[in-house]
Amino acid sequence: MRKGEVQIRRPGGKPGAWTVHDIAQVAGVSAKTVSRVVNKQSGVSEATRARITQIIEDVGYHPHMGARIMRSSPRDCIGLTLSAPPNEVPFSQQVIQRIFAELYRIFGAKGDYVCLDLNPFRRNPNADYARGLWEQRYGGCIVSGPLAIEDQSIVRIHRSGHPYIALGRLTDFPETSCATVDFEEGAYLSTRFLLERGHKRIGLLQGFGRYHSGLERRHGYFRALAEAGIEPDESLIRPVTFGSRDIITGVHRLLADHATTALIDSSGAEDAASVRDGARRAGRVPGQDCDIVAWTYTDNATVLSEACAHVWLPLDEAAVEGFDLLADWFHGLRDGPIHVVYPPTLYETIRSDEIPKPRPFFDVLR
Amino acid sequence: MRKGEVQIRRPGGKPGAWTVHDIAQVAGVSAKTVSRVVNKQSGVSEATRARITQIIEDVGYHPHMGARIMRSSPRDCIGLTLSAPPNEVPFSQQVIQRIFAELYRIFGAKGDYVCLDLNPFRRNPNADYARGLWEQRYGGCIVSGPLAIEDQSIVRIHRSGHPYIALGRLTDFPETSCATVDFEEGAYLSTRFLLERGHKRIGLLQGFGRYHSGLERRHGYFRALAEAGIEPDESLIRPVTFGSRDIITGVHRLLADHATTALIDSSGAEDAASVRDGARRAGRVPGQDCDIVAWTYTDNATVLSEACAHVWLPLDEAAVEGFDLLADWFHGLRDGPIHVVYPPTLYETIRSDEIPKPRPFFDVLR
DNA sequence: GTGAAAGCGCTAACAA
DNA sequence: TTGTTAGCGCTTTCAC
């Protein structure tokens, strides 16, 4: 046996891991007393506590977490789930890194576990991304990503009373505990800005079409048009995914009609090259014969040099604030739900160089 | 209630989550039959199975994971732990991303959970990074990072029989299930290369001094010296951390003695700027009055332009192979332990530009 | 093909 | 301050 290594058989030579009863037997006390020591409860004399603590350390005892959560729900493990398939809504490296850095800071450094439910979707497209909560695997969770139009899970989570926070919300369920940005307002700002510049036919490259954040984009766009007394035209809205080809085609189709003089790129892809490609195919020149408003998730950052304005949606920043509040809720320092909804900001001029398209995280290797 | 939402009270109007007994009562069968259906065991008629499956779906039943793992150990959750404090051994973004991409590919996509024990060290410097295993929180684990000289946990994990893999190994416990590279050989190669170029006094900037991978560096260095019949000189070895100041000082001290004509940068920091700074302070010019061999974790990459050779230690590549094997062990498709030890490669010429110093992952925000 | 009973390790409630 | 009892939800064993 290696130096310093401890290896003590359970009393009676039983195999397997030590239990409170084993510790109790060795210490000559009852299991409940051991339990009190493990859980730092009062009602144990200092001498007994010290003795039991020593035995626990010597034999390397750890309480069985399965048995433990049968009596009380887990408060030392937070879940992180994806509410959308990563191939459909690719998380950028930057976003994931920021989320992890925060989880490390808030939960990890305290000794809490973080449990990832990385992708229930590949097995079952209608997977319940909260399954870890129902299984009592964790006692609270972060729902990372937009919520699908047909989403049922989030309301069930909400009703369950578990601490949770979603990085998105439901258009028809404003109670959702969330940390997100106001996409409706973003679309409204973008549209109004272009209307004020005299545009009448404004195309909307609409990201997240299958999700509530996509719906919000439509609503904001319609609201600005209605205020200006302009009849909306469905053909001016093109739902797009994050794929280059989709964005190229979307821009191409929208700008092919020369009566359309402006475009809002709310795709969320920050993919300047594809927007340019689409415009070129339509025979248009952004900044010259058409105005483009580009959406970005980075403050004061140019994602399309020719854009007449950039709208910043501070999603990461909202998430960071939300996580802190969730931690407090999770640890019993406050109640839920949480409502962090950051407003977007429209920049007409930005001095930064054009930042590159973000790299998807779950794609690092292939 | 929202459209399509299911919310059915348990029989008897009891509060809380549904159990196998509730399902059984509704279905008019016994709990065991429900259990058989949930676990896809035989011994249930098709009709009964279909009926129970339907009820399970309708009420959104999920088995209680705590109760479940009291009868059998968890095989749907893999742990990821850090064996060293991240401030002491900073993981680069690249490494962490690669690890996560692999976990996503191998475990996440199958529907397994990945449970992170991010940092038990801040609370307790002697923390047992395998606590999640002892608590039966997960049924196997990845030990990410080097193993400390005084490490006790890894042998206990090994003896426990749980599937595991460490991204490092113990110099005196070769049975360790690991995916790593041969640091001893890396140091040997580096030293021999410099000896063959005629150097007699070779400094070793030794990374990971408190860890086994640091010991391996010493051993390889000594082996090459012994082969060449050169008496080792302890003052030529400088253990360094990842901090710039430490590396600057280390290089400075080593090169201040002009009799020392060569240096092996096995710090692992890939920090060219600090090496240069240290040399400058010692009044030396790498590539002119001294030879430097630089260690890197990226294939065919220059991490110090003036280096006379680069030694590539394919740690990421080893990890990727190891994870696949661990997954098979975890899922019962093979037995452990795993031994993936990649050899280092010495490059005398590399045509790449100098790559920048890697950015630490757990430092993204601050 | 199906069910009854026991027990996994822990802790809340109650008793001493 | 400490101990006893019961029971959490599940699965295993054994019986029907």
Side-chain angles (χ1 to χ4, degrees):
Chain A
M1 193 173 298
R2 286 162 53 80
K3 171 172 61 81
E5 193 184 332
V6 174
Q7 172 102 10
I8 301 176
R9 284 295 270 195
R10 295 170 66 192
K14 284 170 287 186
W18 282 66
T19 72
V20 274
H21 295 283
D22 296 326
I23 304 279
Q25 193 176 330
V26 172
V29 297
S30 78
K32 178 60 196 167
T33 303
V34 176
S35 171
R36 275 191 264 257
V37 172
V38 170
N39 295 292
K40 303 194 201 311
Q41 290 169 351
S42 61
V44 184
S45 72
E46 264 320 309
T48 310
R49 189 182 295 274
R51 188 156 42 93
I52 293 174
T53 305
Q54 187 59 54
I55 297 170
I56 286 175
E57 184 134 326
D58 288 347
V59 305
Y61 166 78
H62 287 258
H64 188 298
M65 167 267 198
R68 185 175 248 184
I69 66 171
M70 292 196 67
R71 312 305 270 106
S72 54
S73 49
R75 274 282 164 281
D76 61 349
C77 184
I78 188 93
L80 175 65
T81 74
L82 304 181
S83 56
N87 61 328
E88 199 168 302
V89 181
F91 293 85
S92 74
Q93 287 191 13
Q94 189 199 355
V95 169
I96 295 277
Q97 276 167 22
R98 195 140 182 184
I99 287 177
F100 271 94
E102 285 304 307
L103 294 181
Y104 171 67
R105 179 176 68 79
I106 302 174
F107 295 99
K110 270 190 78 119
D112 288 339
Y113 293 87
V114 177
C115 191
L116 315 181
D117 192 357
L118 281 177
N119 185 7
F121 298 98
R122 201 177 290 188
R123 310 189 89 187
N124 172 7
N126 299 314
D128 181 352
Y129 53 79
R131 58 187 184 138
L133 224 40
W134 314 136
E135 295 169 351
Q136 297 259 48
R137 192 178 290 270
Y138 31 79
C141 79
I142 294 159
V143 176
S144 183
L147 301 171
I149 302 276
E150 72 282 5
D151 190 282
Q152 313 285 289
S153 298
I154 202 75
V155 179
R156 193 169 165 209
I157 298 176
H158 186 89
R159 297 246 168 85
S160 76
H162 282 108
Y164 79 99
I165 195 164
L167 303 188
R169 53 182 177 165
L170 303 190
T171 46
D172 52 350
F173 191 75
E175 305 95 302
T176 318
S177 180
C178 65
T180 185
V181 297
D182 193 337
F183 293 102
E184 202 270 355
E185 181 72 12
Y188 174 79
L189 276 183
S190 306
T191 312
R192 207 184 61 179
F193 175 79
L194 289 168
L195 289 168
E196 283 169 0
R197 279 172 77 100
H199 297 284
K200 303 286 183 219
R201 283 181 65 81
I202 300 166
L204 180 68
L205 205 64
Q206 181 212 19
F208 300 94
R210 283 190 45 221
Y211 300 89
H212 282 269
S213 58
L215 280 190
E216 290 189 43
R217 286 158 160 86
R218 287 177 64 92
H219 292 167
Y221 173 76
F222 286 146
R223 178 159 66 96
L225 290 181
E227 270 187 23
I230 293 181
E231 195 68 28
D233 177 351
E234 278 290 341
S235 74
L236 286 173
I237 301 179
R238 283 206 73 91
V240 290
T241 69
F242 278 69
S244 287
R245 195 166 309 175
D246 211 28
I247 293 173
I248 294 169
T249 309
V251 173
H252 180 177
R253 292 279 165 79
L254 283 172
L255 293 183
D257 175 2
H258 284 245
T260 303
T261 56
L263 186 72
I264 299 164
D265 173 11
S266 73
S267 67
E270 302 185 331
D271 184 355
S274 299
V275 171
R276 278 188 195 113
D277 201 353
R280 193 180 47 69
R281 293 186 193 195
R284 306 290 289 275
V285 183
Q288 292 185 17
D289 62 8
C290 63
D291 275 345
I292 298 187
V293 171
W295 284 25
T296 168
Y297 298 114
T298 313
D299 189 16
N300 225 319
T302 306
V303 287
L304 182 73
S305 310
E306 309 92 315
C308 61
H310 285 83
V311 172
W312 170 47
L313 297 121
L315 205 47
D316 293 1
E317 289 74 8
V320 169
E321 180 174 336
F323 290 173
D324 269 318
L325 296 171
L326 175 66
D328 285 346
W329 186 7
F330 187 67
H331 295 126
L333 305 175
R334 60 157 282 163
D335 273 340
I338 291 158
H339 291 287
V340 176
V341 182
Y342 278 23
T345 305
L346 186 144
Y347 292 102
E348 289 194 50
T349 49
I350 294 185
R351 267 165 305 184
S352 86
D353 288 336
E354 186 176 291
I355 59 171
K357 177 180 172 181
R359 208 169 148 201
F361 181 80
F362 290 105
D363 225 43
V364 182
L365 285 180
R366 276 124 266 284
Chain B
M1 193 173 296
R2 285 161 54 78
K3 172 174 58 83
E5 194 186 330
V6 173
Q7 172 103 14
I8 299 175
R9 286 294 270 196
R10 294 171 66 192
K14 285 171 285 185
W18 282 66
T19 71
V20 273
H21 295 283
D22 296 327
I23 304 279
Q25 194 174 330
V26 172
V29 297
S30 78
K32 177 57 199 165
T33 304
V34 176
S35 173
R36 276 191 263 256
V37 172
V38 169
N39 294 293
K40 303 193 202 310
Q41 290 168 352
S42 60
V44 185
S45 72
E46 265 319 308
T48 309
R49 188 181 295 275
R51 189 156 41 91
I52 293 174
T53 304
Q54 187 60 53
I55 296 170
I56 286 175
E57 184 133 326
D58 288 347
V59 305
Y61 166 79
H62 287 256
H64 189 297
M65 168 265 198
R68 183 174 253 187
I69 66 172
M70 292 196 67
R71 313 305 265 108
S72 55
S73 55
R75 273 282 165 281
D76 61 349
C77 184
I78 188 94
L80 175 65
T81 75
L82 304 181
S83 56
N87 61 327
E88 200 168 301
V89 181
F91 293 83
S92 74
Q93 286 191 14
Q94 189 200 354
V95 169
I96 294 278
Q97 276 168 22
R98 194 138 183 186
I99 288 176
F100 271 95
E102 285 303 307
L103 293 181
Y104 171 66
R105 180 177 67 79
I106 302 174
F107 295 99
K110 270 189 78 115
D112 289 339
Y113 293 87
V114 177
C115 191
L116 315 181
D117 192 358
L118 280 177
N119 185 7
F121 299 97
R122 201 177 291 188
R123 312 188 88 188
N124 171 8
N126 299 315
D128 181 352
Y129 54 78
R131 59 187 183 136
L133 225 39
W134 314 135
E135 295 169 351
Q136 297 258 51
R137 192 177 290 271
Y138 31 79
C141 80
I142 294 158
V143 176
S144 183
L147 300 172
I149 302 276
E150 72 282 5
D151 190 281
Q152 312 286 287
S153 297
I154 202 75
V155 180
R156 195 170 163 208
I157 298 176
H158 186 88
R159 297 243 167 86
S160 76
H162 283 108
Y164 80 99
I165 195 164
L167 303 188
R169 53 182 177 165
L170 304 190
T171 45
D172 53 351
F173 191 75
E175 306 94 304
T176 318
S177 179
C178 65
T180 184
V181 298
D182 193 338
F183 294 103
E184 203 269 354
E185 180 72 12
Y188 174 80
L189 276 184
S190 306
T191 311
R192 208 184 61 179
F193 175 80
L194 289 168
L195 289 168
E196 284 170 358
R197 279 172 77 100
H199 297 284
K200 303 285 182 222
R201 282 182 66 81
I202 300 166
L204 180 68
L205 206 64
Q206 180 210 20
F208 300 94
R210 282 189 47 222
Y211 300 88
H212 283 268
S213 59
L215 281 190
E216 290 189 43
R217 286 158 161 85
R218 285 176 67 92
H219 292 167
Y221 174 75
F222 287 146
R223 178 158 66 96
L225 290 181
E227 269 187 23
I230 294 181
E231 195 66 28
D233 177 351
E234 277 291 342
S235 74
L236 286 174
I237 301 180
R238 283 207 73 90
V240 290
T241 69
F242 277 70
S244 286
R245 195 165 308 174
D246 211 28
I247 292 173
I248 294 169
T249 309
V251 174
H252 181 178
R253 293 278 166 77
L254 283 172
L255 293 184
D257 175 2
H258 282 244
T260 303
T261 55
L263 185 72
I264 299 164
D265 172 12
S266 73
S267 67
E270 302 186 330
D271 183 355
S274 299
V275 171
R276 278 188 195 112
D277 201 352
R280 193 181 48 70
R281 292 186 194 195
R284 306 289 289 274
V285 183
Q288 292 185 16
D289 61 9
C290 62
D291 274 346
I292 298 187
V293 170
W295 283 24
T296 168
Y297 299 114
T298 312
D299 190 15
N300 224 318
T302 306
V303 287
L304 182 74
S305 310
E306 309 93 316
C308 60
H310 286 83
V311 173
W312 170 48
L313 297 120
L315 206 47
D316 292 1
E317 288 73 8
V320 168
E321 180 174 335
F323 289 173
D324 269 318
L325 295 172
L326 175 66
D328 285 346
W329 185 7
F330 187 67
H331 294 126
L333 305 176
R334 59 159 281 160
D335 274 341
I338 291 157
H339 292 287
V340 176
V341 182
Y342 278 24
T345 305
L346 187 143
Y347 291 102
E348 290 194 48
T349 49
I350 294 185
R351 267 165 305 185
S352 88
D353 287 336
E354 187 176 291
I355 61 171
K357 178 180 172 181
R359 209 170 147 201
F361 181 79
F362 290 105
D363 225 42
V364 182
L365 285 180
R366 275 124 267 285

